[in-house]
Coordinates of all heavy atoms in Angstrom, one line a residue:
I732 N -78.1 237.4 -137.7 CA -79.3 236.7 -137.7 C -80.2 237.1 -136.6 O -81.4 237.4 -136.8 CB -79.1 235.2 -137.7 CG1 -78.5 234.7 -139.0 CG2 -80.3 234.4 -137.3 CD1 -78.0 233.2 -138.9
Y733 N -79.7 237.3 -135.4 CA -80.5 237.8 -134.3 C -80.8 239.3 -134.4 O -81.8 239.7 -133.8 CB -79.9 237.4 -133.0 CG -80.3 235.9 -132.6 CD1 -79.6 234.9 -133.1 CD2 -81.4 235.7 -131.8 CE1 -80.0 233.6 -132.8 CE2 -81.8 234.4 -131.5 CZ -81.1 233.3 -132.0 OH -81.5 232.1 -131.7
S734 N -80.1 240.0 -135.1 CA -80.5 241.4 -135.4 C -81.7 241.4 -136.3 O -82.6 242.2 -136.1 CB -79.3 242.1 -136.1 OG -78.2 242.3 -135.2
W735 N -81.7 240.5 -137.3 CA -82.9 240.4 -138.1 C -84.1 240.0 -137.3 O -85.2 240.5 -137.4 CB -82.7 239.4 -139.2 CG -83.9 239.2 -140.1 CD1 -84.4 240.0 -141.1 CD2 -84.9 238.1 -139.9 NE1 -85.5 239.5 -141.6 CE2 -85.9 238.4 -140.9 CE3 -85.0 237.0 -139.1 CZ2 -87.0 237.5 -141.0 CZ3 -86.1 236.2 -139.2 CH2 -87.1 236.5 -140.2
L736 N -83.9 239.0 -136.4 CA -85.0 238.6 -135.5 C -85.4 239.7 -134.6 O -86.6 239.8 -134.2 CB -84.5 237.3 -134.7 CG -84.4 236.0 -135.4 CD1 -83.7 234.9 -134.5 CD2 -85.8 235.5 -135.9
Y737 N -84.5 240.5 -134.2 CA -84.8 241.7 -133.3 C -85.8 242.6 -134.0 O -86.8 243.0 -133.4 CB -83.5 242.4 -133.0 CG -83.6 243.7 -132.2 CD1 -83.6 243.6 -130.8 CD2 -83.8 244.9 -132.7 CE1 -83.7 244.7 -130.0 CE2 -83.9 246.1 -132.0 CZ -83.9 245.9 -130.6 OH -84.0 247.1 -129.8
H738 N -85.5 242.9 -135.3 CA -86.4 243.7 -136.1 C -87.8 243.0 -136.3 O -88.8 243.6 -136.3 CB -85.8 244.2 -137.4 CG -84.6 245.1 -137.2 ND1 -84.8 246.4 -136.5 CD2 -83.3 245.1 -137.6 CE1 -83.6 247.0 -136.5 NE2 -82.7 246.2 -137.1
A739 N -87.7 241.7 -136.7 CA -88.9 241.0 -137.1 C -89.8 240.8 -135.9 O -91.1 240.7 -136.1 CB -88.5 239.6 -137.7
T740 N -89.4 240.8 -134.7 CA -90.2 240.6 -133.5 C -90.4 241.8 -132.7 O -90.6 241.7 -131.5 CB -89.5 239.5 -132.6 OG1 -88.2 239.9 -132.2 CG2 -89.5 238.2 -133.4
N741 N -90.4 243.0 -133.4 CA -90.7 244.2 -132.7 C -89.7 244.4 -131.5 O -90.1 244.5 -130.3 CB -92.1 244.3 -132.2 CG -92.5 245.7 -131.7 OD1 -91.9 246.7 -132.1 ND2 -93.5 245.7 -130.8
N742 N -88.4 244.5 -131.9 CA -87.4 244.7 -130.9 C -87.3 243.6 -129.9 O -86.9 243.8 -128.7 CB -87.5 246.1 -130.2 CG -87.5 247.2 -131.1 OD1 -86.9 247.1 -132.2 ND2 -88.0 248.4 -130.7
G743 N -87.7 242.4 -130.3 CA -87.6 241.2 -129.4 C -88.8 241.0 -128.5 O -88.8 240.1 -127.8
S744 N -89.7 241.9 -128.6 CA -90.9 241.8 -127.6 C -91.9 240.9 -128.0 O -92.7 240.3 -127.2 CB -91.5 243.2 -127.5 OG -92.0 243.7 -128.7
N745 N -92.0 240.6 -129.3 CA -93.1 239.6 -129.8 C -92.5 238.2 -129.8 O -92.1 237.7 -130.8 CB -93.5 240.0 -131.2 CG -94.8 239.3 -131.7 OD1 -95.1 238.3 -131.1 ND2 -95.4 239.8 -132.7
I746 N -92.5 237.6 -128.6 CA -91.9 236.3 -128.5 C -92.7 235.2 -129.2 O -92.2 234.3 -129.7 CB -91.7 236.0 -127.0 CG1 -90.7 237.0 -126.3 CG2 -91.2 234.6 -126.8 CD1 -90.5 236.8 -124.9
R747 N -94.0 235.4 -129.2 CA -94.9 234.4 -129.9 C -94.5 234.3 -131.4 O -94.4 233.2 -131.9 CB -96.3 234.8 -129.7 CG -97.3 233.8 -130.4 CD -97.1 232.4 -129.9 NE -97.2 232.2 -128.5 CZ -98.4 232.0 -127.8 NH1 -99.5 231.9 -128.5 NH2 -98.4 231.8 -126.6
L748 N -94.2 235.4 -132.0 CA -93.8 235.4 -133.4 C -92.5 234.7 -133.5 O -92.2 233.9 -134.4 CB -93.7 236.8 -134.0 CG -93.2 237.0 -135.4 CD1 -94.1 236.1 -136.4 CD2 -93.1 238.4 -135.8
A749 N -91.6 235.0 -132.6 CA -90.3 234.3 -132.6 C -90.5 232.8 -132.5 O -89.8 232.0 -133.2 CB -89.4 234.8 -131.4
Q750 N -91.4 232.3 -131.7 CA -91.7 230.9 -131.6 C -92.2 230.3 -132.9 O -91.8 229.2 -133.3 CB -92.7 230.7 -130.4 CG -92.2 230.9 -129.0 CD -93.3 230.7 -128.0 OE1 -94.1 231.6 -127.7 NE2 -93.3 229.4 -127.5
Y751 N -93.0 231.1 -133.6 CA -93.5 230.6 -134.9 C -92.4 230.5 -135.9 O -92.3 229.6 -136.7 CB -94.6 231.5 -135.4 CG -95.9 231.3 -134.7 CD1 -96.7 232.4 -134.2 CD2 -96.4 230.0 -134.4 CE1 -97.9 232.3 -133.6 CE2 -97.7 229.9 -133.7 CZ -98.4 231.0 -133.3 OH -99.6 230.8 -132.6
L752 N -91.5 231.5 -135.8 CA -90.3 231.5 -136.7 C -89.4 230.3 -136.4 O -88.9 229.6 -137.3 CB -89.5 232.8 -136.6 CG -90.2 234.0 -137.1 CD1 -89.4 235.3 -136.7 CD2 -90.4 233.9 -138.6
F753 N -89.3 229.9 -135.1 CA -88.5 228.8 -134.8 C -89.2 227.5 -135.1 O -88.6 226.5 -135.3 CB -88.1 228.8 -133.3 CG -86.8 229.6 -133.1 CD1 -86.7 230.9 -133.1 CD2 -85.6 228.9 -133.0 CE1 -85.5 231.6 -132.9 CE2 -84.4 229.5 -132.8 CZ -84.3 230.9 -132.8
E754 N -90.5 227.5 -135.1 CA -91.2 226.3 -135.6 C -90.9 226.1 -137.1 O -90.6 225.0 -137.5 CB -92.7 226.5 -135.5 CG -93.5 225.3 -136.1 CD -95.0 225.4 -136.1 OE1 -95.5 226.5 -135.6 OE2 -95.7 224.5 -136.5
G755 N -90.8 227.2 -137.9 CA -90.4 227.1 -139.3 C -89.0 226.5 -139.4 O -88.7 225.7 -140.3
L756 N -88.1 227.0 -138.5 CA -86.8 226.5 -138.5 C -86.7 225.0 -138.2 O -86.0 224.2 -138.8 CB -85.9 227.3 -137.5 CG -84.5 226.8 -137.3 CD1 -83.7 227.1 -138.5 CD2 -83.9 227.5 -136.1
Y757 N -87.5 224.6 -137.2 CA -87.6 223.2 -136.8 C -88.0 222.3 -138.0 O -87.4 221.3 -138.3 CB -88.6 223.0 -135.6 CG -88.8 221.6 -135.2 CD1 -88.0 221.1 -134.1 CD2 -89.7 220.8 -135.8 CE1 -88.2 219.8 -133.7 CE2 -89.9 219.5 -135.3 CZ -89.1 219.0 -134.3 OH -89.3 217.7 -133.9
L758 N -89.1 222.8 -138.7 CA -89.6 222.0 -139.8 C -88.6 221.9 -140.9 O -88.4 220.9 -141.6 CB -91.0 222.6 -140.3 CG -92.1 222.5 -139.2 CD1 -93.3 223.2 -139.8 CD2 -92.5 221.0 -139.0
A759 N -88.0 223.1 -141.2 CA -87.0 223.1 -142.3 C -85.8 222.2 -142.0 O -85.3 221.5 -142.8 CB -86.5 224.6 -142.5
T760 N -85.4 222.2 -140.7 CA -84.3 221.3 -140.3 C -84.7 219.9 -140.4 O -83.9 219.0 -140.9 CB -83.9 221.6 -138.8 OG1 -83.5 223.0 -138.7 CG2 -82.7 220.7 -138.4
Q761 N -85.9 219.5 -140.0 CA -86.4 218.1 -140.1 C -86.4 217.7 -141.6 O -86.0 216.6 -142.0 CB -87.8 218.0 -139.6 CG -87.9 218.1 -138.0 CD -87.3 216.9 -137.3 OE1 -86.1 216.6 -137.4 NE2 -88.1 216.2 -136.6
L762 N -86.8 218.6 -142.5 CA -86.9 218.3 -143.9 C -85.5 218.0 -144.4 O -85.3 217.0 -145.2 CB -87.5 219.5 -144.7 CG -87.5 219.3 -146.2 CD1 -88.4 218.1 -146.6 CD2 -88.1 220.6 -146.8
I763 N -84.5 218.8 -144.1 CA -83.1 218.6 -144.5 C -82.6 217.3 -144.0 O -81.9 216.5 -144.7 CB -82.2 219.8 -144.1 CG1 -82.6 221.1 -144.9 CG2 -80.7 219.5 -144.3 CD1 -81.9 222.3 -144.5
V764 N -82.8 217.0 -142.7 CA -82.3 215.8 -142.1 C -83.0 214.6 -142.8 O -82.4 213.6 -143.0 CB -82.6 215.8 -140.6 CG1 -82.2 214.4 -140.0 CG2 -81.8 216.9 -139.9
F765 N -84.3 214.7 -143.0 CA -85.0 213.6 -143.8 C -84.3 213.4 -145.1 O -84.1 212.2 -145.6 CB -86.4 213.9 -144.0 CG -87.3 213.9 -142.8 CD1 -88.6 214.4 -142.8 CD2 -86.9 213.3 -141.6 CE1 -89.4 214.3 -141.7 CE2 -87.6 213.3 -140.5 CZ -88.9 213.7 -140.5
A766 N -83.9 214.5 -145.8 CA -83.3 214.4 -147.1 C -81.9 213.7 -146.9 O -81.5 212.9 -147.8 CB -83.1 215.7 -147.7
I767 N -81.2 213.9 -145.8 CA -79.9 213.3 -145.6 C -80.2 211.8 -145.4 O -79.5 210.9 -146.0 CB -79.3 213.9 -144.3 CG1 -78.8 215.3 -144.6 CG2 -78.1 213.0 -143.9 CD1 -78.3 216.0 -143.4
Y768 N -81.2 211.4 -144.6 CA -81.5 210.0 -144.3 C -81.9 209.3 -145.5 O -81.7 208.1 -145.7 CB -82.6 209.9 -143.2 CG -82.0 210.0 -141.8 CD1 -81.2 211.0 -141.3 CD2 -82.4 209.0 -140.9 CE1 -80.7 211.0 -140.0 CE2 -81.9 209.0 -139.6 CZ -81.0 210.0 -139.2 OH -80.6 210.0 -137.9

């Protein structure tokens, strides 16, 4: 997974893009947890 993130963020240098990807992860996790609740 982090190898994919390595490529997606220009060898890890584009941290802002990584943050946006983790925002997507945050929202997806919230959606799943809401579905559980």
Side-chain angles (χ1 to χ4, degrees):
I732 289 175
Y733 274 82
S734 291
W735 178 81
L736 287 170
Y737 179 89
H738 289 303
T740 58
N741 190 24
N742 300 339
S744 63
N745 192 342
I746 295 176
R747 180 54 57 87
L748 176 57
Q750 290 180 272
Y751 288 134
L752 291 172
F753 270 81
E754 177 183 1
L756 176 67
Y757 178 94
L758 295 173
T760 302
Q761 291 287 63
L762 177 61
I763 292 175
V764 173
F765 288 169
I767 292 172
Y768 274 54

